[in-house]
Amino acid sequence: MKLTLAAVQELTGGKLLIGTPESEISGVSTLSEAGSDDAAFLGNEKYFHDFLATRAGVVLVPPGLPQYPEGIALIEVANPSLAFNALVKHFMSVSTAWIPGIHPSAVVDPSAKLDASAVRIGAGAVIEAGACIGSGSDIGPGCVIGASAVVGECCKLHARVVVRERCRLGSHVVVQPGAVIGSDGFGFLMGANGCYEGIDQVGIVEIGDHVDIGANTTIDRARFGRTVIGEGTKIDNLVQIGHNVAIGRHCILVAQSGVAGSTQIGDYVTVAAQVGIAGHLKVGDKATIAAQAGVITHLEGGKVYWGTPASEFMQAKKQYACIRRLPELVKDVRDLKKAAEGQNPSKS
Amino acid sequence: MKLTLAAVQELTGGKLLIGTPESEISGVSTLSEAGSDDAAFLGNEKYFHDFLATRAGVVLVPPGLPQYPEGIALIEVANPSLAFNALVKHFMSVSTAWIPGIHPSAVVDPSAKLDASAVRIGAGAVIEAGACIGSGSDIGPGCVIGASAVVGECCKLHARVVVRERCRLGSHVVVQPGAVIGSDGFGFLMGANGCYEGIDQVGIVEIGDHVDIGANTTIDRARFGRTVIGEGTKIDNLVQIGHNVAIGRHCILVAQSGVAGSTQIGDYVTVAAQVGIAGHLKVGDKATIAAQAGVITHLEGGKVYWGTPASEFMQAKKQYACIRRLPELVKDVRDLKKAAEGQNPSKS
Amino acid sequence: MKLTLAAVQELTGGKLLIGTPESEISGVSTLSEAGSDDAAFLGNEKYFHDFLATRAGVVLVPPGLPQYPEGIALIEVANPSLAFNALVKHFMSVSTAWIPGIHPSAVVDPSAKLDASAVRIGAGAVIEAGACIGSGSDIGPGCVIGASAVVGECCKLHARVVVRERCRLGSHVVVQPGAVIGSDGFGFLMGANGCYEGIDQVGIVEIGDHVDIGANTTIDRARFGRTVIGEGTKIDNLVQIGHNVAIGRHCILVAQSGVAGSTQIGDYVTVAAQVGIAGHLKVGDKATIAAQAGVITHLEGGKVYWGTPASEFMQAKKQYACIRRLPELVKDVRDLKKAAEGQNPSKS
C-alpha cells in the first residue's frame, strides 16, 4: 500500500520539484499533523504558514510558490486538492466490500420491486407497497421508502433517510442520514371560521441522477406536479426546499439555506450557507448568492449577489463598507448642520 | 372520475366565463404543464404570463382580469387557490384506504394504552411504557413514542417522528417525518470548576388540537412546566422552538425560524422564514414578522415587522432603501465638507 | 417527598427572609403557575411583575430586591436558577430506574464490543460491526451506531441518533433525538465535463467527554483527519458543524448556528443562535458572538461581536443605531445640499 514519490507523481500527474523519487509515503494527512510518512497538500493560501512549518513526507503544491519549507519533498500539480483526492482514494481502497442482501430485520412489502441479489437493504429499513429499488442501490439501516416511491440504480441512502410515497430518485443519488424527501408542502388557507385549512399536497419530489443530499435536509413534495432537483446538483445539511421549487442541474446549495415555494433556480447556480430565497422567484443560470443573503427579487444569471435584500455583490460590499463608517458620517452631518446654523441664524 | 365544466363550476362555486359546460377534464396541473384534459388556476399575478400561454382545459381565475388567453375555458371564482383545492381533493379521493392494526415489527409496551382495532402502528415503531395513543391515530414506521406520552385522536405521525416521555399531543395533529418533540431544553450554568453543568429539563411539551409540525423540526421540553403550542398553529420544516416557549392559537411559523426560551407569542401571529426571536419576549396577537428578521424587543400586536433588529415594516423598508443609497450619501457629505472648508478655511 | 422551608434553606444554601421554617412544599413551578404547595424562583428581572403577583409557597430570590409580594415566603440565595435546580432534582429523584440489557428487537453485530450487563440498547437500535459501546451507556430506540464507531462510558443517546462509521464519542456525552454525527463533509470539485465530482470524506468526528449535542444537529466527518468537538462543549438543536472544524472546550453553540469547514474555535467561546461562521477562520478563546451574526474574518478572543459582517459589539450597536436614524440623516443632507446650492448658485 506504500507509494514512492515517483508513483505519487504518476498518480497525480504532477512534477517532482524537490525530493528523491524512491522515497515512500504510507498515508495522507494535513500540513500540520503530517509526519514523514504522510503526503499533505497546500490548497489554500491561508495554510501557507502551516506549509512552511510542515514535517510531511511530501506536499502537493500549486505552481508559482514564492517560498518553500527546507528539506521537504514537493510535487507541483495544477490543482492540489483534486490531486490529493487521488491519493486519498488509493489509501482508502481497502474499505469494506459491498455485499448485497436484505437484512432479516428489514420489512419489505411483497409488492415492492427489487432484486434481492443486487441491492442491500439495511437492518430495520422499511420498504412499503409498490416501492421500487434499483440494482446496485444501498438502503441504510432504519430508512423508510414510502409506497410506490422509486429509488434508481446505484444509489446510497445512509441511515434513517425517509422517502415518502411516490417520490422518485434518479440513479447514483447519495443521501446523508436523516434527510426527508417528500414531506408535505407548507400551504394553508384561512377559513371563514378563523382556522387554517390545509391545502392538500398531492404532488411528488423528483430528484435527478448524481444528486447529493445532506444530513437532516428536508425537501417538500409539490402541491401538485413536482418539486424538482436537477441532475448533478449538490445539497448540504439542514437545507429546506419548499413545494414546487425547481432547481436546475449542477447547482450547489450550502448548509442551512432555504428556498421557498415555487421558486425556479437555473443551472450552475451557487447558493452559499444560510441564504434565504423567497417564493415565486427566478434565479438565472450561473448566479452566485453569498452567505446569509436574503433574496426577494428575481436575479439575473451570471452575477454574484449579497446582502439583505440581496443586490449585486460590489454594490452590497460598498453598502456594508458605508455602514461601518456610519457613526462618523452622522457626526460629520451634525457638524455641517451646526456650521450652517452659525452662518444662517435666521433660518434656525 | 372525469368532471364536466358544469360539474367543476358547481364544485368550486364559480361562474363559467368562457367554454362549454359539457367539456370534460380528467386531472389537475400547473398553468405551464397542463394539457387540454387538465384544470389549472391563476392564484398569483406572477404567473400571468404562464396564464396567457396555457393550454389547460380550464383555468380557475379571480374576478377582474384585464386579458384572457385565446380559446381557453375560464371559470371565475372568489379564491382560485381554495377552489382549486376542491378539484385536487376530487381527483385524489381514490387514495389508499386506512387500515388499522399494529405491524408485527412494531414494539408496543404491554402497559401502553391503545385500541389495536382503532389505531395504526407502523413497521418498526416503538411505543414505550404507559404511552397512550388515541383512536383513529396513525403512527408511522420508525416513530418512537416515549414513556407516558399522549397522542390524541385522529393524529397522523409520519415516519420517524420522536415524541419524548410525558409530552402530550392533542387531536388531529399532523407531524411530518423526522420531527422531534420534547428534546431537552438548552440550559447550562457555569460551575465553579469552569465546566458547564446541565440544568435538568423536567417539564413537557403540550401541543393543541389541529396543530401541524414540519419535517425535522425540533420542540424542546420545558425546564419545568410546559412548552405550549396553541390550537390550530402550523409550523413548517426545520423550525426550532426553545424550552418554556408559549405559542398561541392559529399562528404560522415558516421554515428555519427559531424562537428562544420562555418567549410568549400571541394568537394569529405570522412568523416568516428564517426569523429569529430572542428569549423572554412577548409578541402580541396578529403580529406579522417578515423573513430573516431578528427580534430582540417585545412586539406590539397587529403590526408588521422586519429587519435586524426588527422594527415596524415601513420604517425597516425606509432604512433598507437608505442603505442602498448610502454610497451616494457618503459622497454628498464629502462634497459638503469640502465646500464648507473652502468657505471657512480658518476652521479646517 | 415534601420539604419544609427549613429543608429548602439547607438544600439551597439560602437564607429564609420571610416565612415559617415549618411550612411545607411538595413541588416546583413557575412564578405565574405556582400554587401554595410549590416553590418558584425569580431568575430574571423580566419576571418581576409575575413575582409580585405570585401565589407560590416560597420563592427563591437574589439579594437586594427593592420590593416583595405580600405574604409570600422568600429564601434569598446567591443564584436562584442554580438553587432552584437542586429542588427540581429533589422532586424528580423518583424517576424511572435504569435497567441494563439489549432489547430483543435491537440488531447488534456479533463483532460489536459491549457488556450486555452494563449497557442498555433500545428497541430497534442497530449496532454495526466492530462498534464499541462503553459501560453505563444508554443507546435509545432506533439509534444506528456505524461500523467501528466508539461510544464512551455513561453516554446517553436519545432515540434515532446516527453515529456513522469510525466516529468516536467520549464519556458522559448526551445526544438528543435525530442528531447525525459523521455525515460526509460537503466537498466537490468541478470536473472538466461540467459535473461536480465528490471529494472523498474519509476522516471522522471526535467528540470529547461531557459534550451535549442537540436534536437534529449535524456534525460532518473530516475530509481526512478529524472534526473535533472539545470536552464540555454544549451544542443546541439544528446546528451544523462542517468538516474539519475544531471546536475547543466548554463552548456554547446555540440553535441553528453553523460553522463552515476547517474553522477553528477556541475554548469558552459562546456562539448565539442563528450565527454563521465562514470556513478557514480562527475564533479566539472566550469570544462571544451575538445572535444572527455573520463572521467572515478571524476574531480575537475575549471580545463580543455582532452584525453581518460581524464587528465588535459596541461598534455594531452604534451602526445599528445609526441605521435607525438613516432616513432622518438623508433628509438632513438633502437640506444641507439645498442650502449650499442657495449660497453658491454658480456651482450647481
Side-chain angles (χ1 to χ4, degrees):
Chain A
M1 287 301 299
K2 285 192 177 184
L3 284 177
T4 62
L5 297 195
V8 172
Q9 199 182 209
E10 205 181 306
L11 240 167
T12 61
K15 192 174 90 187
L16 187 64
L17 293 184
I18 298 176
T20 28
E22 298 78 22
S23 301
E24 284 181 338
I25 57 159
S26 58
V28 289
S29 191
T30 60
L31 287 165
S32 58
E33 294 193 359
S36 61
D37 282 355
D38 294 319
F41 78 107
L42 175 62
N44 185 317
E45 63 186 28
K46 288 190 185 168
Y47 296 103
F48 200 78
H49 187 82
D50 289 347
F51 169 58
L52 294 181
T54 193
R55 290 173 304 174
V58 64
V59 183
L60 306 183
V61 296
L65 285 182
Q67 204 186 343
Y68 299 152
E70 218 172 308
I72 298 297
L74 301 177
I75 292 178
E76 185 182 300
V77 293
N79 183 332
S81 185
L82 192 60
F84 190 74
N85 209 34
L87 295 188
V88 170
K89 273 197 210 302
H90 169 84
F91 287 111
M92 297 303 148
S93 58
V94 285
S95 71
T96 54
W98 189 84
I99 301 165
I102 298 174
H103 194 278
S105 67
V107 176
V108 179
D109 190 276
S111 68
K113 296 154 210 150
L114 53 80
D115 176 351
S117 71
V119 300
R120 180 159 69 174
I121 310 291
V126 177
I127 315 291
E128 299 193 332
C132 174
I133 312 293
S135 292
S137 282
D138 188 342
I139 309 298
C143 285
V144 178
I145 310 298
S148 302
V150 176
V151 174
E153 298 186 356
C154 302
C155 291
K156 168 77 177 169
L157 275 60
H158 287 274
R160 291 210 296 94
V161 167
V162 173
V163 178
R164 272 187 51 187
E165 66 275 15
R166 294 184 284 115
C167 293
R168 296 200 289 257
L169 278 62
S171 294
H172 299 278
V173 171
V174 176
V175 188
Q176 297 297 320
V180 173
I181 296 166
S183 37
D184 284 341
F186 192 66
F188 300 93
L189 291 163
M190 176 52 71
N193 59 353
C195 300
Y196 287 106
E197 189 191 341
I199 298 173
D200 293 299
Q201 305 287 323
V202 299
I204 63 164
V205 175
E206 192 170 286
I207 291 180
D209 297 343
H210 296 283
V211 167
D212 281 47
I213 295 171
N216 284 345
T217 278
T218 57
I219 304 180
D220 281 352
R221 64 197 311 113
R223 176 174 172 186
F224 48 91
R226 303 166 296 150
T227 300
V228 178
I229 311 293
E231 179 191 329
T233 284
K234 311 298 184 185
I235 300 178
D236 200 355
N237 298 348
L238 294 170
V239 170
Q240 151 71 0
I241 307 293
H243 52 171
N244 289 90
V245 164
I247 295 181
R249 299 173 311 129
H250 309 298
C251 294
I252 293 277
L253 286 94
V254 185
Q256 296 176 317
S257 287
V259 182
S262 300
T263 280
Q264 295 174 37
I265 293 183
D267 298 336
Y268 293 101
V269 170
T270 297
V271 178
Q274 295 185 336
V275 164
I277 305 181
H280 300 278
L281 296 178
K282 289 187 185 184
V283 175
D285 294 348
K286 300 190 183 175
T288 296
I289 306 171
Q292 289 194 327
V295 177
I296 59 174
T297 56
H298 300 305
L299 296 184
E300 223 178 299
K303 294 182 176 172
V304 183
Y305 301 90
W306 194 24
T308 299
S311 53
E312 285 195 40
F313 186 78
M314 286 313 299
Q315 195 182 332
K317 203 176 158 182
K318 258 187 218 160
Q319 288 164 13
Y320 280 128
C322 290
I323 287 173
R324 281 184 176 260
R325 289 161 49 196
L326 256 186
E328 201 185 318
L329 192 76
V330 167
K331 194 184 158 300
D332 283 351
V333 172
R334 201 187 308 128
D335 290 351
L336 285 164
K337 277 174 74 177
K338 257 189 223 159
E341 280 159 17
Q343 284 175 350
N344 307 293
S346 62
K347 283 189 179 172
S348 67
Chain B
M1 288 299 300
K2 285 190 176 187
L3 284 178
T4 62
L5 297 196
V8 171
Q9 201 182 204
E10 205 182 307
L11 241 167
T12 61
K15 192 174 90 186
L16 187 65
L17 294 184
I18 299 177
T20 29
E22 299 76 24
S23 302
E24 284 182 338
I25 56 158
S26 59
V28 289
S29 192
T30 59
L31 286 166
S32 58
E33 293 194 358
S36 62
D37 283 356
D38 294 318
F41 78 107
L42 175 61
N44 186 316
E45 64 185 25
K46 289 191 184 167
Y47 295 103
F48 200 79
H49 188 82
D50 290 347
F51 170 58
L52 293 180
T54 192
R55 292 173 303 176
V58 64
V59 183
L60 306 183
V61 297
L65 284 181
Q67 203 186 345
Y68 300 152
E70 219 172 307
I72 299 295
L74 301 178
I75 291 177
E76 185 181 300
V77 294
N79 184 331
S81 185
L82 193 58
F84 190 74
N85 208 34
L87 296 188
V88 170
K89 272 194 208 309
H90 170 86
F91 287 111
M92 298 302 149
S93 59
V94 285
S95 71
T96 54
W98 188 85
I99 301 164
I102 298 175
H103 194 278
S105 67
V107 175
V108 179
D109 191 276
S111 68
K113 295 153 210 153
L114 53 81
D115 176 350
S117 72
V119 300
R120 179 159 69 176
I121 310 290
V126 177
I127 315 292
E128 298 193 333
C132 174
I133 312 293
S135 291
S137 283
D138 188 342
I139 308 298
C143 285
V144 177
I145 310 299
S148 302
V150 176
V151 174
E153 298 186 355
C154 302
C155 291
K156 168 77 178 168
L157 275 59
H158 287 274
R160 291 208 296 92
V161 167
V162 174
V163 178
R164 271 186 53 186
E165 67 275 15
R166 293 184 285 116
C167 294
R168 296 200 290 257
L169 278 62
S171 294
H172 299 278
V173 171
V174 177
V175 188
Q176 298 297 320
V180 173
I181 296 167
S183 37
D184 284 341
F186 192 66
F188 300 92
L189 291 163
M190 176 52 73
N193 59 353
C195 300
Y196 286 106
E197 189 191 342
I199 297 174
D200 292 299
Q201 306 287 323
V202 300
I204 64 164
V205 175
E206 191 170 285
I207 291 179
D209 296 345
H210 297 284
V211 167
D212 281 49
I213 295 172
N216 284 345
T217 277
T218 57
I219 304 180
D220 281 351
R221 66 198 309 115
R223 176 172 172 188
F224 49 92
R226 304 167 295 152
T227 301
V228 178
I229 311 294
E231 179 191 330
T233 283
K234 310 298 184 184
I235 300 179
D236 199 356
N237 299 346
L238 294 170
V239 170
Q240 151 70 3
I241 307 292
H243 53 172
N244 290 90
V245 164
I247 296 181
R249 299 173 313 128
H250 309 297
C251 294
I252 293 277
L253 286 93
V254 186
Q256 294 176 319
S257 287
V259 183
S262 299
T263 281
Q264 294 174 38
I265 293 183
D267 298 337
Y268 292 101
V269 170
T270 298
V271 178
Q274 295 185 337
V275 165
I277 305 180
H280 300 278
L281 296 178
K282 288 185 186 186
V283 175
D285 293 349
K286 300 191 183 172
T288 295
I289 306 172
Q292 288 193 329
V295 177
I296 59 175
T297 55
H298 300 304
L299 297 184
E300 224 178 298
K303 294 181 177 173
V304 183
Y305 300 90
W306 194 25
T308 300
S311 53
E312 285 195 41
F313 186 79
M314 286 313 299
Q315 194 183 333
K317 202 175 161 185
K318 259 187 218 160
Q319 288 165 14
Y320 280 130
C322 290
I323 287 174
R324 281 186 175 259
R325 287 161 50 197
L326 256 185
E328 201 185 318
L329 191 75
V330 167
K331 193 183 160 303
D332 283 351
V333 172
R334 200 187 306 126
D335 289 352
L336 285 164
K337 277 175 74 178
K338 257 188 222 157
E341 279 159 16
Q343 285 175 348
N344 305 292
S346 62
K347 282 189 180 172
S348 68
Chain C
M1 286 300 298
K2 286 190 177 187
L3 284 179
T4 62
L5 296 197
V8 171
Q9 200 182 205
E10 204 182 309
L11 241 167
T12 62
K15 192 174 89 187
L16 187 64
L17 294 184
I18 298 176
T20 29
E22 297 77 23
S23 303
E24 284 182 338
I25 56 159
S26 58
V28 289
S29 190
T30 59
L31 286 166
S32 58
E33 295 193 356
S36 62
D37 282 356
D38 294 318
F41 77 106
L42 175 62
N44 186 316
E45 64 186 27
K46 289 191 186 168
Y47 296 102
F48 199 78
H49 188 81
D50 289 347
F51 169 59
L52 293 181
T54 193
R55 292 175 303 176
V58 65
V59 183
L60 306 183
V61 296
L65 285 181
Q67 204 186 345
Y68 300 152
E70 218 172 309
I72 298 295
L74 301 176
I75 292 178
E76 185 182 300
V77 294
N79 183 331
S81 185
L82 193 59
F84 189 74
N85 209 35
L87 296 187
V88 171
K89 274 195 209 306
H90 169 85
F91 287 111
M92 298 301 149
S93 59
V94 284
S95 69
T96 54
W98 189 86
I99 301 165
I102 298 175
H103 194 277
S105 68
V107 175
V108 179
D109 191 276
S111 68
K113 295 154 212 153
L114 53 80
D115 176 352
S117 72
V119 300
R120 180 159 70 175
I121 311 291
V126 177
I127 315 291
E128 297 193 333
C132 175
I133 313 293
S135 292
S137 282
D138 187 342
I139 308 298
C143 284
V144 177
I145 310 298
S148 303
V150 176
V151 175
E153 297 185 357
C154 302
C155 291
K156 169 75 177 169
L157 275 60
H158 288 273
R160 293 208 296 91
V161 167
V162 174
V163 178
R164 271 187 50 187
E165 66 277 16
R166 293 184 285 114
C167 293
R168 294 199 291 256
L169 278 62
S171 294
H172 300 278
V173 171
V174 177
V175 188
Q176 299 297 320
V180 173
I181 296 167
S183 38
D184 285 341
F186 192 66
F188 300 93
L189 291 163
M190 177 50 73
N193 59 352
C195 300
Y196 286 106
E197 189 191 342
I199 298 173
D200 292 300
Q201 305 286 323
V202 299
I204 64 165
V205 175
E206 191 170 286
I207 291 179
D209 296 344
H210 297 283
V211 167
D212 281 48
I213 295 171
N216 283 346
T217 277
T218 58
I219 304 180
D220 281 351
R221 64 198 310 115
R223 176 174 173 188
F224 49 92
R226 304 166 297 151
T227 301
V228 178
I229 311 294
E231 179 191 330
T233 284
K234 310 299 184 184
I235 300 178
D236 200 354
N237 298 348
L238 294 171
V239 170
Q240 151 71 2
I241 307 292
H243 52 173
N244 289 90
V245 164
I247 295 181
R249 299 173 311 129
H250 309 296
C251 294
I252 293 278
L253 286 94
V254 185
Q256 296 176 318
S257 287
V259 182
S262 300
T263 281
Q264 294 174 38
I265 293 182
D267 298 337
Y268 293 101
V269 170
T270 298
V271 177
Q274 296 185 336
V275 164
I277 305 180
H280 300 278
L281 296 177
K282 288 185 187 184
V283 175
D285 293 349
K286 301 189 183 174
T288 295
I289 306 171
Q292 289 193 329
V295 177
I296 59 175
T297 55
H298 300 304
L299 296 185
E300 223 178 300
K303 293 181 177 172
V304 184
Y305 301 90
W306 195 25
T308 299
S311 53
E312 284 194 41
F313 186 80
M314 286 313 299
Q315 195 182 333
K317 202 175 160 184
K318 260 188 219 160
Q319 288 164 14
Y320 280 128
C322 289
I323 287 173
R324 281 184 175 259
R325 288 161 51 196
L326 256 186
E328 200 186 318
L329 191 75
V330 166
K331 195 185 158 298
D332 283 351
V333 171
R334 200 186 308 126
D335 290 350
L336 284 165
K337 277 174 74 178
K338 257 190 223 156
E341 280 159 16
Q343 285 177 347
N344 307 291
S346 64
K347 283 191 177 172
S348 66

